[in-house]
Structures are given as structure tokens and as C-alpha cells.
Amino acid sequence: MPGFVLQVAPVPAEIALPDIRVGFTVTRKVGNAVVRNRVRRRLREIARLVIPAEARPDLDYVLVGRQGALVRDFAAMRGELREALKRLKAQLVATP
């Protein structure tokens, strides 16, 4: 079971390219407020470690927390985010 889903969207044209923007969301299906906050904290930390080096400033990122983020190894989740960003870059370069 995945720990998160990564969603991306282009930064709106009226916004000057700021620092890389990242959002986090966890639905109530994951658990109560304490559990959701724990998942959100884990997502924020992997984003803090990976996003600055791997992400593009012309895209907005949203990490959607899943139930698997509670039991998933932190290093594995960090690697999955790094891999997802690499696949995204490859896909965007290949698309004209």
C-alpha cells in the first residue's frame, strides 16, 4: 500500500515563479486528527529533504497522504518521492 500520491499542476501564469510550492492533504478516511497529523508530519519531512533538490519551480506539488504512510519505512517513502519526481521530469521532457 503506498504511503502517498503525488499530484502536480503548473504554476498559474499570473504568479511569478516563487519558491517551490508544496501542499499536503490527508483525508479523514486515514484516521482521527492525531493520525492524520502524524501522516502530514511525515510527508512534510520527506518533502523538506527531497523537494528542494529534485523539484521544478514551475510546478506546484501536492502530497496526498494514504493509510500506508503510518507503517511505511521513512527511507522507503523518501526514495519513492525521489523516484516519482524523476519519472515526472522524464515524462515532462518527453512531452512536447
Side-chain angles (χ1 to χ4, degrees):
M1 175 178 276
F4 63 89
V5 174
L6 176 66
Q7 297 178 340
V8 296
V11 173
E14 63 270 4
I15 297 177
L17 290 181
D19 293 333
I20 298 168
R21 302 187 319 167
V22 182
F24 305 93
T25 185
V26 183
T27 67
R28 287 178 24 194
K29 291 179 186 178
V30 172
N32 63 18
V34 174
V35 171
R36 292 192 312 268
N37 286 334
R38 182 169 179 234
V39 170
R40 203 173 291 117
R41 283 193 305 271
R42 289 180 62 122
L43 293 177
R44 261 196 306 264
E45 184 61 16
I46 64 168
R48 184 186 71 79
L49 295 172
V50 175
I51 294 283
E54 303 286 336
R56 295 173 32 170
D58 62 333
L59 295 174
D60 287 336
Y61 298 89
V62 176
L63 289 167
V64 181
R66 297 289 188 226
Q67 188 77 33
L70 293 170
V71 295
R72 198 132 179 92
D73 181 52
F74 185 79
M77 284 180 37
R78 189 173 61 208
E80 289 167 358
L81 179 59
R82 194 171 278 128
E83 181 62 31
L85 290 170
K86 285 180 185 176
R87 282 186 282 156
L88 179 67
K89 280 184 185 178
Q91 190 176 34
L92 291 174
V93 169
T95 305

